[in-house]
Amino acid sequence: MNSTPLWLSSLTLAAAGGWFAATMFATPATSREPRFPQLTMDQLDEKQRPLGEQIMKVSSVGIGGPYNPIIRSPVLGQRLFDLFYYLRWETSVPARLNEFAILVIARQWRSQVEWFAHAPIAAKAGLSPALIAELKTNKRPVTMSEEEAVVYDFVTELTTTKKVSDETYARAKKAFNDQQIVDLTAVAGNYVMVAMLLAMAEETVPPGKEEPFKVGEP
């Protein structure tokens, strides 16, 4: 694994500690047992611990969120972690646009954890708070730059129509190179998978934190 980027510590480690502390002693919101009780570092076995240590260095949710279920399958978890690492910190897509693509997927899935974790990161990466607020209302934002509009339309078309029109692809080719188009596609697909893992495992935001999407909202 590559070493953790220096800027990452201020962005993620405090959040990781906060999430981990909150979930270590959490009790379910209802009487029903959680599908995947929150693991702590002390509970990890010899196959899980190396992955857990890598996760704790970079994750904004510690071993909560999607890491809580995937660490149960440590070989798969390691492969996914390596993919996540590339698609978050080594991708050819600029961080602001990469995080925007993640938020588009989070909004499509109404993924509480994805939005909770990535909206602050997107803002720190330079995505406009107004744009984030517009996207959260489940509308196509009107305050987008051309690059942002390409990301929104490209990801939305691909995930909702299962294709990218010639017009949208031509716009993408003007804004991005071939590697960036491939990486943009991959990050969108990856965070659909993450949203699926979170939904299957019924992962939630940390205790005491407000869920981004309220019951009854579109």
Side-chain angles (χ1 to χ4, degrees):
M1 285 294 296
N2 292 333
S3 59
T4 305
L6 292 177
W7 61 265
L8 188 59
S9 59
S10 63
L11 183 63
T12 63
L13 295 187
W19 182 293
F20 192 58
T23 53
M24 277 182 66
F25 307 106
T27 55
T30 67
S31 59
R32 192 173 74 172
E33 289 295 315
R35 290 182 175 177
F36 293 88
Q38 177 62 53
L39 291 173
T40 67
M41 288 296 295
D42 290 342
Q43 293 173 313
L44 303 185
D45 63 28
E46 67 278 4
K47 294 180 180 179
Q48 297 169 323
R49 179 168 291 277
L51 176 58
E53 290 171 350
Q54 292 176 63
I55 290 169
M56 289 300 293
K57 290 178 182 178
V58 301
S59 171
S60 63
V61 296
I63 56 173
Y67 296 114
N68 187 42
I70 70 170
I71 205 167
R72 264 84 172 182
S73 181
V75 174
L76 173 64
Q78 183 65 61
R79 305 294 192 272
L80 291 178
F81 178 83
D82 293 342
L83 177 63
F84 296 168
Y85 193 97
Y86 175 80
L87 290 175
R88 286 291 311 285
W89 299 299
E90 295 180 341
T91 178
S92 62
V93 180
R96 171 178 59 89
L97 302 175
N98 201 58
E99 289 296 331
F100 184 33
I102 295 170
L103 287 187
V104 171
I105 297 300
R107 188 59 188 85
Q108 287 178 0
W109 276 78
R110 284 178 57 89
S111 180
Q112 306 283 14
V113 175
E114 271 189 348
W115 189 277
F116 178 87
H118 284 276
I121 297 172
K124 289 180 180 179
L127 200 64
S128 162
L131 188 157
I132 295 172
E134 285 183 285
L135 181 62
K136 190 171 181 287
T137 66
N138 203 31
K139 297 177 182 178
R140 186 182 188 276
V142 298
T143 59
M144 294 186 289
S145 69
E146 176 56 24
E147 283 186 332
E148 291 163 349
V150 170
V151 168
Y152 180 89
D153 294 336
F154 185 95
V155 171
T156 301
E157 279 190 29
L158 189 55
T159 54
T160 60
T161 72
K162 311 302 186 289
K163 61 183 180 179
V164 177
S165 67
D166 288 344
E167 179 185 357
T168 299
Y169 186 76
R171 289 170 56 209
K173 285 287 288 182
K174 289 182 179 180
F176 305 115
N177 62 35
D178 288 350
Q179 181 182 357
Q180 290 172 322
I181 291 173
V182 171
D183 286 358
L184 178 62
T185 302
V187 79
N190 180 71
Y191 278 88
V192 169
M193 179 186 64
V194 171
M196 293 174 72
L197 284 165
L198 292 165
M200 175 279 295
E202 296 185 339
E203 293 289 332
T204 63
V205 301
K209 299 296 184 180
E210 188 176 358
E211 290 188 335
F213 306 117
K214 307 300 186 294
V215 176
E217 290 181 346

